[in-house]
Amino acid sequence: MTGAGLWHRASSGAGLSAAADRVWQRLQLDRLAGGRHSGYVIHEDMRQHPRTVRGFMGIRWLLFGETVVGLTAIFIAAVLTSRGEHVPWAVWFRSTVVLFITASLYVFAWRAQLGYYWAYSRLRLFSRIFPIVTLIVATIPGLYPGWMVVEQIVFSLLMIGIGDLLTSDHMRAAFPRPAKRETRDAADAVG
């Protein structure tokens, strides 16, 4: 362990999460997804801090809301199609993409909750980018029906909520940016 204990490997929970973490570790997916920050894990005290735990609980609820929004969009499109109404391909594409995006965000949230800085930074980045892209696309005239524009606004609001939780003073303190030297040392230790 180096420095202030920031190299502490995230401990696995019990059950399905622990099994998934073992597979993830065995396949070295943190190294693939995290790049140079793949081995950088926050200190256990900050990971277990009640405000960190509450923050990730809120993120999980918001991601659940994102899932409901995505499934609702597919359901509405399917119902409209079954009634013989034309549903543009953009609606089907957007609905599917929202579900895939949400699935990737669940993975980032899971790894960030285990203390991985790379996952926290990805989740924070995407919670800033996706709302902007979504709202810009929603303003393209005639691309989506009105109900899909509302779906995109709700999606964006949920993502903004995730971003707010991730950029709180506590979360930024819990996930400090790794120093360049520590990053190289972690990569050497993992590889």
Side-chain angles (χ1 to χ4, degrees):
M1 197 148 45
T2 62
L6 293 175
W7 292 112
H8 177 71
R9 270 305 219 189
S11 61
S12 300
L16 183 60
S17 180
D21 186 48
R22 283 190 299 276
V23 170
W24 190 272
Q25 294 283 341
R26 187 170 294 123
L27 297 174
Q28 297 184 358
L29 296 176
D30 284 315
R31 187 173 176 102
L32 177 68
R36 69 177 189 260
H37 298 306
S38 64
Y40 183 76
V41 180
I42 66 170
H43 194 275
E44 185 72 15
D45 293 345
M46 291 308 283
R47 195 174 75 79
Q48 296 295 333
H49 192 282
R51 290 177 71 188
T52 307
V53 172
R54 271 194 314 273
F56 280 110
M57 184 180 299
I59 290 167
R60 282 193 309 270
W61 277 109
L62 290 168
L63 287 172
F64 176 75
E66 297 265 345
T67 304
V68 169
V69 166
L71 291 173
T72 301
I74 289 176
F75 177 76
I76 291 170
V79 167
L80 291 174
T81 300
S82 72
R83 292 182 180 171
E85 294 184 39
H86 172 69
V87 177
W89 72 269
V91 168
W92 291 104
F93 180 77
R94 167 76 174 108
S95 300
T96 306
V97 167
V98 165
L99 289 177
F100 283 121
I101 287 171
T102 303
S104 68
L105 295 177
Y106 273 115
V107 172
F108 295 153
W110 167 55
R111 299 312 287 171
Q113 191 168 6
L114 290 176
Y116 289 93
Y117 175 81
W118 73 263
Y120 166 79
S121 67
R122 301 294 191 286
L123 191 59
R124 190 171 160 189
L125 174 69
F126 292 143
S127 70
R128 291 177 175 172
I129 293 172
F130 289 158
I132 294 167
V133 171
T134 300
L135 292 174
I136 289 171
V137 170
T139 62
I140 298 172
L143 182 60
Y144 297 117
W147 64 268
M148 179 58 91
V149 171
V150 171
E151 182 266 351
Q152 290 192 285
I153 293 169
V154 171
F155 175 85
S156 295
L157 291 174
L158 291 169
M159 286 302 300
I160 290 168
I162 291 170
D164 282 347
L165 288 172
L166 290 170
T167 58
S168 69
D169 291 339
H170 170 76
M171 291 297 264
R172 285 194 324 263
F175 286 89
R177 179 180 295 272
K180 293 199 185 285
R181 179 174 170 243
E182 291 173 341
T183 302
R184 280 193 304 271
D185 292 345
D188 293 341
V190 172

